Amino acid sequence: MIYKEISISGFRGFNESKKIELAIPNRSFGSGLTILVGENNSGKTTILESFRLFSVAKQNQNSIDISLEKRNKRKNKISIKLLTDKGEIKLETKSNGARITLENFNVPISDINIYSAKARRDIITSNTNLFSLRKSQAVENKLSRKSQDGNTIFWNRISEIIENEDEKNFFSKLINDIIGKELKWDIELIGESQYYIKCIINDIEEHDAEGIGEGILSVLVIAEKLFKSQPGDLIIIDEPELSIHPKIQKRLLNKILEFSEKIQIIVATHSSYFISWDALENDGKLIRVTKTKDDIEIYTLKKETITSIQKIRKNIQNPHILGLNAKEIFFVTDNVILVEGQEDVIYYKKLLDKYNININADFFGWGMGGADNCKNILDIFKDLGYCKVVCIFDRDRKENIEKLEEKYEGYKFFSIEADDIRDKQGKLKTKEVDKIINILENHKISIEDQVKTEIIEEIKEIGKKEGLLDKEGKIKDEKIEGITKDMFRQLEKYFQ
């Protein structure tokens, strides 16, 4: 079954009905991945919990009771609708009470296969972070994977894997590919009924229940969700980055992208490492969740915007434009400053510090990689619902500001009274100028020595720029007075 979209109203922070469209696998790398970003307490976890409710209701005779604190105070009823390729499934309250009922329209309840790795990995059950659970519960119940809670599912799967050598090897390879080390594992027993995972890393680092790190535990939990997942399943991973080293985060993302070629996966994250442009270009989705005073808002990066930024990604001279630093901007509340290049980011911060101007905003990465990229990057912020964005250009782009203000209403645009942030020499070096003179002379164009000297000096001036700072980065106070300082004051007020 393919899960197309979910609509939520009356549940936690969701007041009016909001729709979240999901990525659908098309056998391309990352195509089935939906990425949720947003601040803490913005509503991401509520979206994931809404999906989990369908599984809980399925196990609970098609109904579930929702406590008062989880029901939106402005709404009398909860309504969660899940649209699939087979039809619509609904969870709705029939009265103002706690009970919500599962209704399916031509969709077999047995086809609902939603598995989740919560941010709090439930299998860590002791106060000393022992990676343990009552394995006996899983063994004795012999429940199928489709009708268990997260803890029982994990231990039942681990119990099955350990008894099948081929499956254990496949599962171990999946873990090893993610952590970048050889991990040997087994199930051990403490006392009479407490089971835990015992790990040996690279044949020398042996860890019992107390010694194994939470990052490895997290990888094991997520790997279990991915392991043996099938088309028609929906895998939900809340904050996959928890306790995981950045190198492992990158490897984990790569595995998630591989699995999402055929499987639908939703990731809610606060880590730049889990923003994948590859997935987005292959029809994956990036969704920003924000919380207002009265509701939760949903913003999705549009396909046309993703297409337009592909040329930026192909710029091998400036691979950082949409790199890790730039991705961090997806996790700020709002208030973003776009500047043309790397030096602008460095020197504008220097100017603000110098004149004790406090601006409540974040610079976008290491600049836009040139003013020509402005519209493409602005479209990202417009799609994702950012309200306060500023662009600062060099003087030569001043004539573009009026059109930009019309297209991006509410955003602010400025140009400095200088050619660049810093003084720049002409682009042509002495050897290159000499070549030009030689070309002229080879064409029998006679140039007197005095004229030649003047021509050389004029050619050297080509590309020369005057900035707000000298070429060594020293601030020119006389250039900052007036218009530039007024711009800073406007920024300070705008971002209040």
Side-chain angles (χ1 to χ4, degrees), residues 367-383:
M368 299 182 288
D372 290 337
N373 292 328
C374 172
K375 291 182 180 179
N376 296 327
I377 294 174
L378 281 172
D379 284 339
I380 295 175
F381 291 106
K382 185 178 179 181
D383 287 356

Side-chain angles (χ1 to χ4, degrees), residues 242-258:
L242 288 182
S243 303
I244 294 180
H245 189 279
K247 285 185 178 179
I248 298 180
Q249 289 186 45
K250 289 190 279 188
R251 295 191 191 102
L252 176 56
L253 171 64
N254 195 62
K255 281 298 172 186
I256 289 172
L257 294 174
E258 286 182 17

Side-chain angles (χ1 to χ4, degrees), residues 174-191:
L174 174 59
I175 295 169
N176 295 344
D177 287 346
I178 294 171
I179 68 173
K181 296 180 179 180
E182 183 182 3
L183 183 142
K184 295 179 181 178
W185 61 277
D186 214 324
I187 297 177
E188 277 291 355
L189 177 67
I190 301 174

Side-chain angles (χ1 to χ4, degrees), residues 77-288:
K77 296 183 179 181
I78 293 175
S79 176
I80 305 174
K81 300 177 182 179
L82 186 55
L83 181 63
T84 76
D85 62 331
K86 295 184 178 181
E88 186 179 74
I89 316 166
K90 293 197 301 185
L91 280 170
E92 289 189 328
T93 47
K94 297 303 179 183
S95 64
N96 293 336
R99 178 147 298 188
I100 58 175
T101 304
L102 181 66
E103 295 182 12
N104 60 308
F105 301 90
N106 302 319
V107 181
I109 298 298
S110 59
D111 286 354
I112 301 174
N113 298 319
I114 300 174
Y115 309 110
S116 115
K118 298 180 182 179
R120 294 180 181 178
R121 312 303 185 210
D122 293 338
I123 53 171
I124 303 171
T125 58
S126 96
N127 293 331
T128 53
N129 288 333
L130 295 181
F131 184 56
S132 57
L133 191 74
R134 300 280 180 181
K135 179 189 171 190
S136 57
Q137 179 184 358
V139 175
E140 291 171 6
N141 289 344
K142 295 292 183 181
L143 299 173
S144 70
R145 185 173 188 232
K146 296 181 180 179
S147 61
Q148 301 172 22
D149 61 31
N151 287 354
T152 310
I153 288 173
F154 177 83
W155 276 102
N156 194 37
R157 290 295 302 123
I158 291 297
S159 300
E160 292 172 357
I161 291 168
I162 204 76
E163 295 171 0
N164 185 312
E165 193 66 26
D166 290 337
E167 284 198 357
K168 185 180 179 183
N169 290 337
F170 182 82
F171 186 66
S172 298
K173 184 179 185 307
L174 174 59
I175 295 169
N176 295 344
D177 287 346
I178 294 171
I179 68 173
K181 296 180 179 180
E182 183 182 3
L183 183 142
K184 295 179 181 178
W185 61 277
D186 214 324
I187 297 177
E188 277 291 355
L189 177 67
I190 301 174
E192 295 183 356
S193 60
Q194 193 79 19
Y195 288 83
Y196 71 93
I197 302 292
K198 179 179 179 179
C199 295
I200 301 175
I201 301 175
N202 288 344
D203 288 326
I204 55 173
E205 304 173 42
E206 183 171 334
H207 298 277
D208 60 13
E210 295 187 31
I212 190 170
E214 289 190 12
I216 301 298
L217 304 180
S218 188
V219 168
L220 284 166
V221 174
I222 295 170
E224 183 275 317
K225 295 293 177 283
L226 298 175
F227 183 70
K228 275 199 167 180
S229 56
Q230 301 174 5
D233 292 350
L234 175 61
I235 308 298
I236 296 169
I237 309 173
D238 196 3
E239 298 186 37
E241 67 272 13
L242 288 182
S243 303
I244 294 180
H245 189 279
K247 285 185 178 179
I248 298 180
Q249 289 186 45
K250 289 190 279 188
R251 295 191 191 102
L252 176 56
L253 171 64
N254 195 62
K255 281 298 172 186
I256 289 172
L257 294 174
E258 286 182 17
F259 275 90
S260 64
E261 292 179 8
K262 299 179 181 179
I263 309 297
Q264 286 184 279
I265 301 176
I266 304 174
V267 166
T269 183
H270 294 281
S271 171
S272 301
Y273 289 101
F274 286 93
I275 304 296
S276 170
W277 295 114
D278 288 328
L280 297 177
E281 288 182 8
N282 289 330
D283 291 337
K285 289 189 180 293
L286 176 65
I287 297 170
R288 180 170 177 252

Side-chain angles (χ1 to χ4, degrees), residues 345-361:
V345 175
I346 295 168
Y347 288 124
Y348 278 120
K349 289 180 179 179
K350 182 176 180 179
L351 288 169
L352 294 171
D353 289 341
K354 164 78 173 177
Y355 297 102
N356 295 316
I357 297 172
N358 183 26
I359 294 179
N360 179 30

Side-chain angles (χ1 to χ4, degrees), residues 472-484:
E472 281 78 31
K474 184 179 179 181
I475 296 171
K476 302 177 186 176
D477 290 314
E478 72 279 4
K479 297 290 290 185
I480 306 301
E481 293 296 331
I483 294 176
T484 304

